[in-house]
Amino acid sequence: MLRPMRTFLTAALVTVALSACGAPAAPAVDVSKGEIRADLKEYQVALTSNTVRAGQVTFLVRNVGGMAHNFVVVKTDAAPDKIPLDTEKQIAKEDGKVGGIDGVAPGKSANLRLDLAPGHYVVMCNIPTHYQLGMRAELTVQ
Ligand SMILES: [Cu+2]
């Protein structure tokens, strides 16, 4: 009778310890290794760093919002809010695009690894109207 009871108690303690942690913590990102987390939501793109050294850069893209988003990286001299628009498609023009991820569903993550030359970049969600609503951020590659 003792042994099953102890097993039960151990299981109960493990459950308490796990629930105390809440949601699983996101793995740390290290910009010195070229890692940048990009959190997408309505209507914002949040980067853990706006500068990174040239070379291999890994964007750890997470959709923390409630609808699908995408992720586009363009090399441009334009400020984040000054990318020319394609008014017919209701998107930003993607001149200078160096890479992207098509559709990231809510709650999902995807990684994008790019070889980035030094310069000025804008990252955005370019689902129609999302760029205009504020889903953009600046990135400087040194
Ligand atoms: Cu979006």
Side-chain angles (χ1 to χ4, degrees):
M1 196 61 199
L2 262 178
R3 187 176 289 263
M5 191 58 176
R6 186 181 301 151
T7 305
F8 170 76
L9 279 175
T10 305
L13 286 172
V14 168
T15 305
V16 168
L18 282 177
S19 56
C21 296
V29 297
D30 184 349
V31 74
S32 72
K33 294 178 185 165
E35 296 172 345
I36 298 175
R37 184 182 309 288
D39 281 348
L40 311 178
K41 67 176 179 183
E42 302 81 43
Y43 291 96
Q44 207 175 76
V45 177
L47 302 180
T48 48
S49 178
N50 294 96
T51 58
V52 67
R53 47 100 190 108
Q56 285 276 306
V57 174
T58 303
F59 295 94
L60 300 112
V61 178
R62 280 194 311 199
N63 185 346
V64 295
M67 64 173 74
H69 295 292
N70 68 24
F71 186 76
V72 177
V73 180
V74 296
K75 190 169 193 289
T76 176
D77 290 330
D81 60 344
K82 295 287 190 281
I83 305 280
L85 298 178
D86 179 331
T87 50
E88 198 169 307
K89 293 181 182 169
Q90 286 293 301
I91 62 171
K93 290 183 178 173
E94 297 182 351
D95 300 339
K97 180 177 178 176
V98 291
I101 298 174
D102 259 346
V104 186
K108 298 295 182 188
S109 297
N111 292 353
L112 175 65
R113 183 170 292 176
L114 296 174
D115 192 10
L116 296 183
H120 180 259
Y121 295 78
V122 172
V123 301
M124 65 177 96
C125 168
N126 210 12
I127 285 175
T129 72
H130 289 201
Y131 167 83
Q132 295 91 315
L133 289 166
M135 292 196 72
R136 60 215 177 200
E138 191 163 39
L139 179 69
T140 301
V141 178
Q142 294 167 327

